[in-house]
Amino acid sequence: MSVEWNDIFRLPSAALAGRRVPKTTLTKNAHLTRLEQKALDKISLIEHWATVQRSSTRIPPHVDVERDIQAVVFLRCELTGRSAAYAELARVIHPCFPNPTVLLFENGGEVCLSCAVTRMSQAERGATVVEDVTSTGGFDPADPLYASLLADLAFNRMPQGDLYEYVRELSWLLRLGRLTGSLGFYPSCAPAQRARLLELSVERDELVARRNSIAEQRRDRNLTLNETARLRMEQHDTDEIIEAILEEIKEICHE
């Protein structure tokens, strides 16, 4: 499957690139470790799909003491189909670029969007670091549940005051998309509730990661009965907290 991404983002034609990025270029320029290089084996193609910048979209750059954002780079990544390791691949690819990046993963009939916001490094002059990464998780782009998310990504619906404003809103929309599957609807909230929704969403992500870690530990056949029981209770308690967070999210959101 190859998604018609510009039917979604509706970027000006001047922003579109469509150039293949050799994985060897990433390996060399980003000084990837052997483990990171091995992760790239899960990708069959990386393409520089588009660049949002002043010359292509008229959105001005954002420059202050914390950031120097001259462009937002979109990369289309086709996975081999053996794995949907979106988070692992995002951790490897995003830091390879000094600009904020948006990864458009394609994996059979599933997609995942990941956005990284960058800032200037406090430790190394002139360098940038990834400040925040937000992804939707995998979903079927034809699923009506995600239609509103994809519609909101259109260029004419996005804020265009400067590139930081643009990429922050994009990151926010992907966070809403990440909640969609669990809530059963695409959420929205009043501007005054955004900070609280962000807190709850981050807390939920951390708890889901903890629950998944516990589930992995429970697969160890060498566990004693006491250890198995402890992990089962810990997983149960974590699930209850996650459900309580989802209920609070539903209270401040609407379909």
Side-chain angles (χ1 to χ4, degrees):
M1 177 193 73
S2 182
V3 178
E4 294 296 334
W5 287 106
N6 214 34
D7 288 348
I8 297 169
F9 288 98
R10 300 187 181 279
L11 296 176
S13 59
L16 304 181
R19 293 190 297 272
R20 188 184 184 102
V21 179
K23 288 189 283 185
T24 53
T25 300
L26 290 184
T27 300
K28 180 179 178 181
N29 294 347
H31 308 292
L32 299 182
T33 66
R34 288 187 179 181
L35 188 61
E36 290 169 333
Q37 293 176 41
K38 186 173 178 59
L40 292 182
D41 290 341
K42 298 172 183 176
I43 297 178
S44 60
L45 171 71
I46 302 177
E47 177 187 75
H48 175 200
W49 179 72
T51 301
V52 171
Q53 57 190 358
R54 185 197 291 272
S55 62
S56 61
T57 64
R58 298 185 179 179
I59 301 180
H62 178 99
V63 181
D64 59 22
V65 295
E66 288 188 302
R67 307 175 205 283
D68 183 357
I69 300 177
Q70 300 292 327
V72 178
V73 176
F74 288 71
L75 300 164
R76 186 175 72 87
C77 305
E78 293 183 8
L79 274 60
T80 59
R82 295 193 300 270
S83 173
Y86 305 121
E88 177 189 7
L89 292 169
R91 284 194 297 269
V92 173
I93 300 173
H94 280 308
C96 293
F97 297 85
N99 299 293
T101 46
V102 181
L103 304 181
L104 311 175
F105 290 113
E106 300 177 13
N107 187 36
E110 187 175 83
V111 301
C112 172
L113 288 75
S114 179
C115 177
V117 180
T118 57
R119 62 169 173 77
M120 302 298 291
S121 171
Q122 297 177 349
E124 183 179 353
R125 183 179 179 84
T128 61
V129 295
V130 172
E131 177 183 64
D132 177 63
V133 175
T134 305
S135 73
T136 59
F139 68 95
D140 181 350
D143 187 340
L145 187 61
Y146 292 89
S148 294
L149 165 65
L150 298 181
D152 280 350
L153 296 173
F155 183 70
N156 62 357
R157 294 196 181 190
M158 297 289 288
Q160 299 176 24
D162 65 27
L163 289 173
Y164 181 54
E165 187 179 323
Y166 175 85
V167 77
R168 286 306 307 176
E169 182 67 12
L170 181 56
S171 177
W172 172 253
L173 294 175
L174 298 193
R175 182 165 291 282
L176 296 182
R178 187 174 185 83
L179 290 169
T180 297
S182 298
L183 293 174
F185 62 90
Y186 176 61
S188 61
C189 69
Q193 295 280 16
R194 275 198 174 194
R196 180 54 180 160
L197 180 55
L198 178 60
E199 290 176 1
L200 291 169
S201 176
V202 170
E203 185 178 356
R204 174 188 171 274
D205 285 349
E206 292 173 349
L207 287 166
V208 168
R210 184 195 302 174
R211 180 188 63 192
N212 293 342
S213 175
I214 295 169
E216 181 64 28
Q217 293 176 58
R218 289 182 63 188
R219 295 189 183 97
D220 186 348
R221 296 182 178 180
N222 295 319
L223 293 175
T224 65
L225 289 176
N226 284 341
E227 290 170 334
T228 299
R230 177 183 59 80
L231 288 172
R232 183 173 63 250
M233 288 300 300
E234 187 175 345
Q235 186 172 354
H236 177 268
D237 291 345
T238 303
D239 282 333
E240 286 194 337
I241 298 172
I242 291 172
E243 286 304 313
I245 290 174
L246 284 175
E247 287 303 313
E248 185 173 351
I249 288 174
K250 289 177 181 179
E251 289 177 5
I252 64 176
C253 292
H254 53 272
E255 299 185 38

